[in-house]
Amino acid sequence: MIGATDTTATMVEWAMAELINKPEVMKKVQEELSDIVGLDKVVEESHVPKLHYLEAVFKETLRLHPALPLLIPKRPSQSSIAGGYTIPKDTKVFSNVWAMHRDPEAWDEPSEFKPERFLSYPCKFDYSGNNFQFLPFGSARRICPGIPLAEKMVMHVLASLLHSFDWKLPEGEVLDLSERSLGL
Ligand code: HEM
């Protein structure tokens, strides 16, 4: 199991960092929590599927900050051709989903944190592995088997943190969310 807890905690941290930098988005999440949960109750698991704006925040966080930006390397057992390139048998293949998630041909303003892009219904950007513009959990036989648990945990933790507390940076500060790892 590749870092099931680490990936989950990382997504909570990135989502909170984006929301702290964007108070107007945090306010929308909190308004939804106030409507769905109510301010005199605590967040329960049954509330989570009704939190559509928070779900869009989760997806936008997975898009901009995929926990495994190159997925897990694969080694094909047969030679094949993909996108016009020959991939010999046993080649170590990395899939750069970080770049796919920021492709300007696929996404409007790809560097911007805009949860609204995921709000259209029925949403064409789910993470079932069938949409090759959005693969935060991978695809096909090696897709993350922990998706149902991951979405429940990340959503529940975020909902609880944002329902119970207001979060802000010290006056005049902005978080630097640029990523400098892996030469991506
Ligand atoms: C938000 C949280 C999570 C994210 C973003 C995430 C993402 C991923 C990704 C990208 C892969 C590689 C898929 C590929 O290479 O095609 C993976 C594999 C895997 N994940 Fe997750 N994961 C998360 C949470 C979890 C949880 C909670 C569990 C278990 C309870 C889990 C169990 C696994 C396992 C066992 C694999 C290896 C699957 C295989 O190689 O066949 N993950 N995950």
Side-chain angles (χ1 to χ4, degrees), residues 33 36-38 40-51 54 151-161 163-164:
L33 286 164
I36 303 291
V37 181
D40 54 344
K41 304 211 176 71
V42 290
V43 179
E44 308 273 358
E45 196 180 330
S46 59
H47 295 124
V48 169
K50 299 177 194 154
L51 299 169
L54 185 62
E151 60 192 2
K152 280 193 185 64
M153 287 201 300
V154 175
M155 292 276 293
H156 201 151
V157 170
L158 286 175
S160 302
L161 291 174
H163 178 261
S164 303

Side-chain angles (χ1 to χ4, degrees), residues 2 4 7-8 11 68 71-72 74 136-138 142 144-146 149-150:
I2 173 131
T7 46
T8 306
M11 294 327 298
L68 297 181
L71 300 182
I72 298 174
K74 314 287 186 304
F137 293 99
R142 307 316 295 263
C144 174
L149 182 60

Side-chain angles (χ1 to χ4, degrees), residues 58 62 71 127 134-139 142-144 146-147 150-151:
F58 176 44
L62 288 165
L71 300 182
Y127 37 66
F134 187 49
L135 297 175
F137 293 99
S139 183
R142 307 316 295 263
I143 193 170
C144 174
I147 295 175
E151 60 192 2

Side-chain angles (χ1 to χ4, degrees), residues 83-150:
Y85 294 94
T86 301
I87 303 177
K89 174 176 181 275
D90 287 336
T91 306
K92 200 178 214 183
V93 178
F94 293 89
S95 308
N96 190 342
V97 297
W98 188 93
M100 291 150 126
H101 290 182
R102 289 170 184 248
D103 179 356
E105 291 191 7
W107 304 93
D108 177 41
E109 295 188 275
S111 305
E112 292 299 311
F113 186 82
K114 292 202 313 190
E116 282 72 14
R117 72 175 87 240
F118 286 104
L119 280 181
S120 57
Y121 185 82
C123 181
K124 67 178 189 162
F125 292 120
D126 63 36
Y127 37 66
S128 59
N130 295 315
N131 185 321
F132 295 118
Q133 294 162 347
F134 187 49
L135 297 175
F137 293 99
S139 183
R141 275 193 289 181
R142 307 316 295 263
I143 193 170
C144 174
I147 295 175
L149 182 60

Side-chain angles (χ1 to χ4, degrees), residues 17-82:
E18 288 286 0
L19 292 175
I20 284 173
N21 254 5
K22 295 221 163 35
E24 69 285 0
V25 179
M26 188 187 295
K27 189 159 173 277
K28 286 188 196 172
V29 174
Q30 290 178 320
E31 282 168 0
E32 181 177 65
L33 286 164
S34 164
D35 285 351
I36 303 291
V37 181
L39 294 179
D40 54 344
K41 304 211 176 71
V42 290
V43 179
E44 308 273 358
E45 196 180 330
S46 59
H47 295 124
V48 169
K50 299 177 194 154
L51 299 169
H52 301 302
Y53 191 74
L54 185 62
E55 185 190 357
V57 166
F58 176 44
K59 287 181 172 173
E60 183 66 337
T61 307
L62 288 165
R63 184 186 71 81
L64 272 183
H65 309 289
L68 297 181
L70 300 175
L71 300 182
I72 298 174
K74 314 287 186 304
R75 197 183 289 273
S77 54
Q78 290 176 0
S79 298
S80 57
I81 296 176

